[in-house]
Amino acid sequence: MASAGGIHPPGTSSTPFSPYREFEDITNASFHLDMWDLDTVESVRQKLGELTDLHGLRRIFKEARKDKGQDDFLGNVVLRLQDLHCREDQWYPLEPRTETYPDRGQCHLQFQLIHKRRATSASRSQPSYTVHLHLLQQLVSHEVTQHQAGSTSWDGSLSPQAATVLFLHATQKDLSDFHQSMAQWLAYSRLYQSLEFPSSCLLHPITSIEYQWIQGRLKAEQQEELAASFSSLLAYGLSLIRRFRSVFPLSVSDSPARLQSLLRVLVQMCKMKAFGELCPNTAPLPQLVTEALQTGTTEWFHLKQQHHQPMVQGILEAGKALLGLVQDVIGDLHQCQRTWNKIFHNTLKIHLFSMAFRELQWLVAKRVQDHTTAVGDAVSPEMGESLFQLYISLKELCQLRPSSSERDGVLALDNFHRWFQPAVPSWLQKTYNVALARVQRAVQMDELVPLGELTKHSTSAVDLSTCFAQISHTARQLDWPDPEEAFMITVKFVEDTCRLALVYCSLIKARARELSSGQKDQGQAANMLCVVVNDMEQLRLVIGKLPTQLAWEALEQRVGAVLEQGQLQNTLHAQLQSTLAGLGHEIRTGVRTLAEQLEVGIAKHIQKLVGVRESVLPEDAILPLMKFLEVELCYMNTNLVQENFSSLLTLLWTHTLTVLVEAAASQRSSTLASNRLKIALQNLEICFHAEGCGLPPEALHTATFQALQRDLELQAASSRELIRKYFCSRIQQQAETTSEELGAVTVKACYRASEQKLRVELLSASSLLPLDSNGSSDPFVQLTLEPRHEFPELAARETQKHKKDLHPLFDETFEFLVPAEPCRKAGACLLLTVLDHDTLGADDLEGEAFLPLCEVPGLSGSEEPGDVPQTRLPLTYPAPNGDPILQLLEGRKGDREAQVFVRLRRHRAKQASQHALRPAP
């Protein structure tokens, strides 16, 4: 039987109708529909009433020629019944289409195919509703089985054939939509408990029942059946939730979505009016789920405990099993925190993670406490390692604890560290023993070769850094909660680390001696020594990071209330500084050894420099020394880290200065050798400075360097230059004299450039020493222009002698005919020698005064001097211990001029030494 409706020719509206037709042979039968335009008979009067123009009149004449009552053909539709589905709803084009009528329009048809046979055996023995339910169960089972065979998941959609069968059965039995939805719910909810398909398939019947629910529609047995389905699905869902860790494993990607879908189904089911009326005594769903989760968590823990049960009973095996159990608990809590908690909270407002943490930490605490009690205080190394791993795992577990707003009361794992106190000494000793073994193995395998061009230490230094990093990591892992005990543990870690550093120094030096013992090449031994020094420097850098790696600042804040003031500084910092000082000493010793090897070569080259023949230029004579230093220092710079290279340069510079001082002392009488040493010092200064890459100026210009530089300048100078420097020195000493213990002289001097004359007025002397036995003196003054080689033609002048006068007024004028140029030179002066005249013996020296000629008015410019001021000059004595310049001049035995000058100055010094008063400094 088929029905169709809806005709829609072009330009017209549709007119629905629903005729039913029966077909015996569906294979060969076809559906044929003709569409006509109905033509009704109208009178001429009616047509003339509609006439409006000439076109309308022409139409009336045309229709008059047609047969009365003849309809117009619009088109037809012909369809084979075999091509139709159970239900069809489409627009079909009208045929035939010709050039005159290319578009005849469309016809909207709806088909329903219904089987007339009704009297089956099942329909005669069971109610139609029950038959429909059983039929639906069979179809769903078939669909699920087919998808499982193809390794695919059923999405809840029935095949078109199954949907057709259900539709035909519901139509034949006149089942209402409500009873169809209820049958679907009963079938799906039962099959869900035995077959695997998405729980989301249950949402549609739940929604349909909720919208159409009227309790009076159902018979008593149907109400019981529906209530039983609610209770059964709820119990089954809670059992799945209780076992959600195994039913919905995270190894399957869609597990979270499946669990969330199940929870949504249960929530929607419990919200239904039907559920509230048929199952009124059921507890709230969040309460039921919470109880299921608590029970399931405990069951899961016991299953895991049985899974980790060791095959061999023993305390060590029990510890390993407990460690595995704790790690499984941590993994489960991570899954609850990251995945499951959000699902349960968003659906039911249940904090799964907090609940699971409370349950599991209590179960774990009970078993850990029992295990540590069984271990006791005697902890072997193997047991200590097991307990340490367990301690670390418990710390990780406690770090997962929920915030204070999500938990109440004290946790069973609070202060769990107290259970592990007996094992702490074993942990610390194990850490040190492992580190020591690693250090020994690293040194034994080290070939003392730099790791690379930029990395100048060897493999053992890297291994040692890794070893210390592991110790620091262990300390951070331990992180002992008790402040006072944590301080003592940190002290132990620092002591062990510092002890390992000193052990490493001894081992690496012994390794260097072992490798270099068979080496004939001294350069190879120096290479190894450089690597050893670099390794120690790297070790010092690593040790210096201990306060940061062991978090001393945070420790100080924690223990501030339990330690005495300064105790941390006196223990940890003192230990660290002591170790750093020891490392510094080892490094300096190594650098000192390297320096000694180079010092021998430097001393040899300086000795050769002094003894080279006179024909060789000084610049050529120092080339071997400079090439030796260039090669050796470049090598050391390549093989040593910068800090140690700077230390090496400092030692070499100090030694080089010492060797130069000794060479200069032995060659004081040789101007040539002194000149070579002077040039060598200048070049060595440039070499050690290395354009800013070597020693800084303040490190180069030491007191020894400055004194040596002055001595070499003096030794390399000519005798006349030394004499000039002597007078410069005396003028400087006089300028620094502030007292007049020996008396003073007053003069006026000027230079007249037009006459090339130096005019000197000797006015007076005062406060002279009484050198005669009668308590007085007979003073007079000698006036000479010095140095004599600058003024060879000018003889000395003398004043009149004054009898018994300690304050003589000379008032005498002297003129010296001398050009201005020599007077302007440094050291040129007028020497005023005050003497006490003795008739029978040699004259006694009262003192000497020096008037610098460069300061005389008239020498600085071409203008004639005006008023000449008086100049008061204090009298001084020559130095009683000898002058270094005079010593240099005295050593030049072949220089007559030098010998004459030295004899005169020695005589003056001897005269001065006969008086009681000391000369001014």
Side-chain angles (χ1 to χ4, degrees), residues 363-383:
L363 294 169
V364 168
K366 179 67 170 60
R367 282 147 185 82
V368 172
Q369 195 168 11
D370 292 343
H371 178 70
T372 53
T373 302
V375 171
D377 295 339
V379 180
S380 64
E382 295 80 7
M383 180 55 65

Side-chain angles (χ1 to χ4, degrees), residues 54-72:
L54 183 61
H55 177 74
L57 181 62
R58 189 180 298 114
R59 180 180 178 186
I60 292 175
F61 289 149
K62 179 180 178 183
E63 291 179 354
R65 291 195 297 269
K66 293 173 56 179
D67 296 337
K68 299 297 183 179
Q70 183 178 359
D71 297 332
D72 294 329

Side-chain angles (χ1 to χ4, degrees), residues 108 125 317 346-347 388 397 441 536 544 597 735 780 829 880 904:
H108 186 198
S125 61
E317 288 73 15
N346 292 342
T347 308
F388 183 75
L397 176 60
R441 184 168 58 253
M536 292 180 182
Q597 296 177 3
F780 69 98
C829 63
L904 176 60

Side-chain angles (χ1 to χ4, degrees), residues 716-744:
S718 63
S719 298
R720 291 187 174 184
E721 182 66 17
L722 289 177
I723 294 172
R724 184 186 63 79
K725 288 181 177 295
Y726 173 81
F727 285 107
C728 288
S729 174
R730 293 300 304 275
I731 292 171
Q732 180 66 28
Q733 293 175 7
Q734 178 181 273
E736 296 173 356
T737 301
T738 57
S739 65
E740 297 182 357
E741 295 183 38
L742 303 180

Side-chain angles (χ1 to χ4, degrees), residues 750-759 815-819:
C750 67
Y751 183 80
R752 301 187 183 275
S754 58
E755 302 177 3
Q756 290 191 340
K757 286 184 178 180
L758 176 64
R759 179 182 174 86
E815 290 184 348
F816 298 89
L817 183 62
V818 60

Side-chain angles (χ1 to χ4, degrees), residues 256-480:
R258 289 168 50 215
L259 176 59
Q260 188 171 16
S261 177
L262 172 61
L263 294 176
R264 289 177 57 197
V265 169
L266 295 179
V267 170
Q268 293 300 323
M269 183 186 73
C270 293
K271 286 182 178 180
M272 295 172 61
K273 294 189 292 288
F275 182 87
E277 295 175 6
L278 299 178
C279 305
N281 297 324
T282 304
L285 182 61
Q287 177 183 343
L288 295 175
V289 173
T290 300
E291 294 173 355
L293 290 173
Q294 291 174 342
T295 304
T297 299
T298 304
E299 292 175 352
W300 174 86
F301 181 85
H302 290 302
L303 286 175
K304 286 295 180 181
Q305 186 178 12
Q306 292 178 3
H307 173 74
H308 287 286
Q309 193 70 25
M311 299 295 294
V312 179
Q313 298 299 324
I315 193 67
L316 279 176
E317 288 73 15
K320 294 178 181 179
L322 182 56
L323 176 61
L325 178 61
V326 173
Q327 290 175 345
D328 283 348
V329 168
I330 294 172
D332 179 73
L333 288 176
H334 277 298
Q335 292 181 358
C336 292
Q337 187 179 41
R338 297 168 183 169
T339 304
W340 304 122
N341 189 74
K342 179 172 61 177
I343 294 175
F344 282 96
H345 184 265
N346 292 342
T347 308
L348 294 168
K349 305 301 179 185
I350 294 176
H351 292 281
L352 169 65
F353 173 70
S354 300
M355 182 274 298
F357 182 85
R358 287 195 302 271
E359 293 293 326
L360 292 175
Q361 66 90 28
W362 184 85
L363 294 169
V364 168
K366 179 67 170 60
R367 282 147 185 82
V368 172
Q369 195 168 11
D370 292 343
H371 178 70
T372 53
T373 302
V375 171
D377 295 339
V379 180
S380 64
E382 295 80 7
M383 180 55 65
E385 176 65 21
S386 175
L387 289 177
F388 183 75
Q389 296 299 326
L390 182 60
Y391 173 82
I392 297 303
S393 297
L394 288 179
K395 281 184 64 65
E396 184 179 357
L397 176 60
C398 288
Q399 289 172 356
L400 292 174
R401 68 175 61 196
S403 60
S404 58
S405 60
E406 299 179 4
R407 63 179 178 89
D408 300 322
V410 179
L411 297 178
L413 282 178
D414 287 344
N415 297 321
F416 75 90
H417 66 280
R418 299 184 185 278
W419 308 335
F420 295 88
Q421 281 180 332
V424 173
S426 173
W427 297 346
L428 298 179
Q429 188 61 41
K430 176 68 175 297
T431 302
Y432 175 77
N433 292 340
V434 171
L436 178 61
R438 290 179 178 176
V439 169
Q440 292 172 341
R441 184 168 58 253
V443 173
Q444 191 62 34
M445 298 176 63
D446 196 349
E447 296 297 328
L448 297 182
V449 177
L451 289 175
E453 183 177 352
L454 299 179
T455 305
K456 300 180 180 181
H457 50 264
S458 63
T459 57
S460 63
V462 177
D463 295 337
L464 187 64
S465 300
T466 305
C467 183
F468 286 171
Q470 184 61 42
I471 293 177
S472 301
H473 177 66
T474 302
R476 290 192 299 271
Q477 282 184 311
L478 191 57
D479 190 23
W480 198 256

